[in-house]
Amino acid sequence: MKTLIRSFGRIRGKPLSTRQQFLVDNLLPILIPAPATSHQPLILEIGFGAGEHLMHVAKNHPDHIIIGAEPFVNGVGSLLSQISMIKDKGLGISVNDIVLPEYKNIRIWNGDVRELLITNPQSLIPDFAFRKIYVLHPDPWPKARHEKRRLLQAEFIKELYEHLVAGGEIIIGTDHMDLLGWITEQINSIHDLRFTIHDNPPESGMNTIYKEKDMFGAQTTKYIVITKD
């Protein structure tokens, strides 16, 4: 596999709490996406932050497997803490039984999503096919010299598109208008991709902590929706 240019910042912040560290050590390993053994439809969220939107999707699509990819271990620890029912480090409790019922369909990849999706013999799930792929508020890498670090390069968008089922959607949200224009340029460079831009979320439950902060003073988030014919 070719070397990937890093598209995200730090992977760790302040030390995890005792409970979060226990969950990362014991619960995370059993939630890593594994080769498909059923015909359950799949949804992917790339860069789920603290997991608010991922949890919303999981509760509203109980018949789907919801895969979240996030390299920032503090975000992973926060999500694990929210979806588990233990209130301490869990000694004496079976890890397999601690996920709240409404979140048992969540799977977590703590790393670069591109390493999960690369289609080669070492890929964890080479036959991924998603109903929806969310990329909400990706890092804009606003300086011109950092554009190469932006995740949504044309090559990667094409890779995501190939992992959609017919009728599937890639939903991209950003409040950084320069990034919005750059992403549309990337999409336009790919032959036959169809997309629309929305001023409002294409579905409910998409206001995450990043939207609430209005990080770049845009006062609104734009949503790009790419649909596979």
Side-chain angles (χ1 to χ4, degrees), residues 182-195:
W182 183 87
I183 293 172
T184 58
E185 290 175 1
Q186 299 298 305
I187 299 171
N188 283 326
S189 72
I190 306 169
H191 184 61
D192 285 342
L193 255 64
R194 179 167 57 90
F195 73 96

PDB file of all heavy atoms in Angstrom, residues 182-195:
ATOM      1  N   TRP A 182     -13.334  24.209  -3.130  1.00  0.00           N
ATOM      2  CA  TRP A 182     -12.269  23.286  -3.511  1.00  0.00           C
ATOM      3  C   TRP A 182     -12.811  21.867  -3.680  1.00  0.00           C
ATOM      4  O   TRP A 182     -12.440  21.157  -4.631  1.00  0.00           O
ATOM      5  CB  TRP A 182     -11.184  23.327  -2.442  1.00  0.00           C
ATOM      6  CG  TRP A 182      -9.983  22.485  -2.739  1.00  0.00           C
ATOM      7  CD1 TRP A 182      -8.874  22.835  -3.462  1.00  0.00           C
ATOM      8  CD2 TRP A 182      -9.764  21.135  -2.293  1.00  0.00           C
ATOM      9  NE1 TRP A 182      -7.978  21.795  -3.499  1.00  0.00           N
ATOM     10  CE2 TRP A 182      -8.496  20.737  -2.788  1.00  0.00           C
ATOM     11  CE3 TRP A 182     -10.504  20.241  -1.531  1.00  0.00           C
ATOM     12  CZ2 TRP A 182      -7.970  19.470  -2.542  1.00  0.00           C
ATOM     13  CZ3 TRP A 182      -9.977  18.987  -1.294  1.00  0.00           C
ATOM     14  CH2 TRP A 182      -8.725  18.612  -1.787  1.00  0.00           C
ATOM     15  N   ILE A 183     -13.690  21.444  -2.771  1.00  0.00           N
ATOM     16  CA  ILE A 183     -14.267  20.103  -2.885  1.00  0.00           C
ATOM     17  C   ILE A 183     -15.095  19.963  -4.167  1.00  0.00           C
ATOM     18  O   ILE A 183     -15.026  18.944  -4.857  1.00  0.00           O
ATOM     19  CB  ILE A 183     -15.130  19.771  -1.650  1.00  0.00           C
ATOM     20  CG1 ILE A 183     -14.254  19.652  -0.401  1.00  0.00           C
ATOM     21  CG2 ILE A 183     -15.912  18.466  -1.864  1.00  0.00           C
ATOM     22  CD1 ILE A 183     -15.044  19.514   0.894  1.00  0.00           C
ATOM     23  N   THR A 184     -15.882  20.992  -4.498  1.00  0.00           N
ATOM     24  CA  THR A 184     -16.684  20.901  -5.722  1.00  0.00           C
ATOM     25  C   THR A 184     -15.780  20.819  -6.950  1.00  0.00           C
ATOM     26  O   THR A 184     -16.124  20.131  -7.926  1.00  0.00           O
ATOM     27  CB  THR A 184     -17.652  22.092  -5.849  1.00  0.00           C
ATOM     28  OG1 THR A 184     -16.918  23.322  -5.841  1.00  0.00           O
ATOM     29  CG2 THR A 184     -18.646  22.098  -4.699  1.00  0.00           C
ATOM     30  N   GLU A 185     -14.630  21.490  -6.913  1.00  0.00           N
ATOM     31  CA  GLU A 185     -13.671  21.366  -8.013  1.00  0.00           C
ATOM     32  C   GLU A 185     -13.160  19.930  -8.128  1.00  0.00           C
ATOM     33  O   GLU A 185     -13.012  19.395  -9.235  1.00  0.00           O
ATOM     34  CB  GLU A 185     -12.493  22.320  -7.806  1.00  0.00           C
ATOM     35  CG  GLU A 185     -12.837  23.792  -7.975  1.00  0.00           C
ATOM     36  CD  GLU A 185     -11.655  24.690  -7.650  1.00  0.00           C
ATOM     37  OE1 GLU A 185     -10.571  24.148  -7.312  1.00  0.00           O
ATOM     38  OE2 GLU A 185     -11.813  25.926  -7.722  1.00  0.00           O
ATOM     39  N   GLN A 186     -12.884  19.319  -6.979  1.00  0.00           N
ATOM     40  CA  GLN A 186     -12.427  17.928  -6.986  1.00  0.00           C
ATOM     41  C   GLN A 186     -13.496  17.010  -7.580  1.00  0.00           C
ATOM     42  O   GLN A 186     -13.194  16.126  -8.394  1.00  0.00           O
ATOM     43  CB  GLN A 186     -12.086  17.473  -5.556  1.00  0.00           C
ATOM     44  CG  GLN A 186     -10.971  18.254  -4.881  1.00  0.00           C
ATOM     45  CD  GLN A 186      -9.645  18.132  -5.589  1.00  0.00           C
ATOM     46  OE1 GLN A 186      -9.152  17.027  -5.822  1.00  0.00           O
ATOM     47  NE2 GLN A 186      -9.065  19.260  -5.961  1.00  0.00           N
ATOM     48  N   ILE A 187     -14.752  17.222  -7.184  1.00  0.00           N
ATOM     49  CA  ILE A 187     -15.839  16.383  -7.704  1.00  0.00           C
ATOM     50  C   ILE A 187     -16.007  16.590  -9.203  1.00  0.00           C
ATOM     51  O   ILE A 187     -16.180  15.626  -9.968  1.00  0.00           O
ATOM     52  CB  ILE A 187     -17.159  16.689  -6.969  1.00  0.00           C
ATOM     53  CG1 ILE A 187     -17.018  16.395  -5.470  1.00  0.00           C
ATOM     54  CG2 ILE A 187     -18.306  15.865  -7.561  1.00  0.00           C
ATOM     55  CD1 ILE A 187     -18.201  16.860  -4.640  1.00  0.00           C
ATOM     56  N   ASN A 188     -15.946  17.835  -9.634  1.00  0.00           N
ATOM     57  CA  ASN A 188     -16.130  18.133 -11.063  1.00  0.00           C
ATOM     58  C   ASN A 188     -15.037  17.525 -11.929  1.00  0.00           C
ATOM     59  O   ASN A 188     -15.240  17.342 -13.141  1.00  0.00           O
ATOM     60  CB  ASN A 188     -16.189  19.646 -11.280  1.00  0.00           C
ATOM     61  CG  ASN A 188     -17.520  20.237 -10.876  1.00  0.00           C
ATOM     62  OD1 ASN A 188     -18.568  19.601 -11.017  1.00  0.00           O
ATOM     63  ND2 ASN A 188     -17.508  21.471 -10.371  1.00  0.00           N
ATOM     64  N   SER A 189     -13.899  17.213 -11.315  1.00  0.00           N
ATOM     65  CA  SER A 189     -12.809  16.613 -12.094  1.00  0.00           C
ATOM     66  C   SER A 189     -13.016  15.115 -12.311  1.00  0.00           C
ATOM     67  O   SER A 189     -12.260  14.487 -13.054  1.00  0.00           O
ATOM     68  CB  SER A 189     -11.465  16.850 -11.392  1.00  0.00           C
ATOM     69  OG  SER A 189     -11.346  16.051 -10.220  1.00  0.00           O
ATOM     70  N   ILE A 190     -14.035  14.560 -11.664  1.00  0.00           N
ATOM     71  CA  ILE A 190     -14.322  13.127 -11.778  1.00  0.00           C
ATOM     72  C   ILE A 190     -15.483  12.937 -12.752  1.00  0.00           C
ATOM     73  O   ILE A 190     -16.561  13.501 -12.558  1.00  0.00           O
ATOM     74  CB  ILE A 190     -14.676  12.521 -10.411  1.00  0.00           C
ATOM     75  CG1 ILE A 190     -13.574  12.822  -9.387  1.00  0.00           C
ATOM     76  CG2 ILE A 190     -14.881  11.007 -10.532  1.00  0.00           C
ATOM     77  CD1 ILE A 190     -13.961  12.482  -7.962  1.00  0.00           C
ATOM     78  N   HIS A 191     -15.288  12.156 -13.744  1.00  0.00           N
ATOM     79  CA  HIS A 191     -16.297  11.975 -14.793  1.00  0.00           C
ATOM     80  C   HIS A 191     -17.558  11.312 -14.240  1.00  0.00           C
ATOM     81  O   HIS A 191     -17.494  10.335 -13.494  1.00  0.00           O
ATOM     82  CB  HIS A 191     -15.716  11.114 -15.917  1.00  0.00           C
ATOM     83  CG  HIS A 191     -16.631  10.934 -17.085  1.00  0.00           C
ATOM     84  ND1 HIS A 191     -17.085  11.998 -17.839  1.00  0.00           N
ATOM     85  CD2 HIS A 191     -17.186   9.819 -17.626  1.00  0.00           C
ATOM     86  CE1 HIS A 191     -17.873  11.541 -18.798  1.00  0.00           C
ATOM     87  NE2 HIS A 191     -17.953  10.218 -18.699  1.00  0.00           N
ATOM     88  N   ASP A 192     -18.710  11.885 -14.571  1.00  0.00           N
ATOM     89  CA  ASP A 192     -20.031  11.282 -14.322  1.00  0.00           C
ATOM     90  C   ASP A 192     -20.495  11.282 -12.859  1.00  0.00           C
ATOM     91  O   ASP A 192     -21.452  10.577 -12.537  1.00  0.00           O
ATOM     92  CB  ASP A 192     -20.103   9.847 -14.848  1.00  0.00           C
ATOM     93  CG  ASP A 192     -20.211   9.788 -16.362  1.00  0.00           C
ATOM     94  OD1 ASP A 192     -20.562  10.820 -16.969  1.00  0.00           O
ATOM     95  OD2 ASP A 192     -19.930   8.715 -16.937  1.00  0.00           O
ATOM     96  N   LEU A 193     -19.857  12.034 -11.984  1.00  0.00           N
ATOM     97  CA  LEU A 193     -20.382  12.138 -10.623  1.00  0.00           C
ATOM     98  C   LEU A 193     -21.464  13.204 -10.558  1.00  0.00           C
ATOM     99  O   LEU A 193     -21.288  14.306 -11.063  1.00  0.00           O
ATOM    100  CB  LEU A 193     -19.260  12.479  -9.625  1.00  0.00           C
ATOM    101  CG  LEU A 193     -18.814  11.296  -8.751  1.00  0.00           C
ATOM    102  CD1 LEU A 193     -18.198  10.216  -9.609  1.00  0.00           C
ATOM    103  CD2 LEU A 193     -17.833  11.752  -7.691  1.00  0.00           C
ATOM    104  N   ARG A 194     -22.587  12.854  -9.937  1.00  0.00           N
ATOM    105  CA  ARG A 194     -23.724  13.763  -9.820  1.00  0.00           C
ATOM    106  C   ARG A 194     -23.834  14.242  -8.375  1.00  0.00           C
ATOM    107  O   ARG A 194     -23.811  13.435  -7.452  1.00  0.00           O
ATOM    108  CB  ARG A 194     -25.001  13.026 -10.241  1.00  0.00           C
ATOM    109  CG  ARG A 194     -26.279  13.836 -10.160  1.00  0.00           C
ATOM    110  CD  ARG A 194     -27.409  13.116 -10.895  1.00  0.00           C
ATOM    111  NE  ARG A 194     -27.658  11.788 -10.391  1.00  0.00           N
ATOM    112  CZ  ARG A 194     -28.509  11.499  -9.415  1.00  0.00           C
ATOM    113  NH1 ARG A 194     -29.173  12.480  -8.818  1.00  0.00           N
ATOM    114  NH2 ARG A 194     -28.712  10.255  -9.036  1.00  0.00           N
ATOM    115  N   PHE A 195     -23.944  15.568  -8.173  1.00  0.00           N
ATOM    116  CA  PHE A 195     -24.037  16.082  -6.813  1.00  0.00           C
ATOM    117  C   PHE A 195     -24.917  17.318  -6.760  1.00  0.00           C
ATOM    118  O   PHE A 195     -25.149  17.997  -7.761  1.00  0.00           O
ATOM    119  CB  PHE A 195     -22.644  16.395  -6.250  1.00  0.00           C
ATOM    120  CG  PHE A 195     -21.984  17.620  -6.827  1.00  0.00           C
ATOM    121  CD1 PHE A 195     -22.061  18.845  -6.180  1.00  0.00           C
ATOM    122  CD2 PHE A 195     -21.281  17.550  -8.025  1.00  0.00           C
ATOM    123  CE1 PHE A 195     -21.453  19.980  -6.708  1.00  0.00           C
ATOM    124  CE2 PHE A 195     -20.661  18.673  -8.563  1.00  0.00           C
ATOM    125  CZ  PHE A 195     -20.750  19.885  -7.909  1.00  0.00           C
TER     126      PHE A 195
END
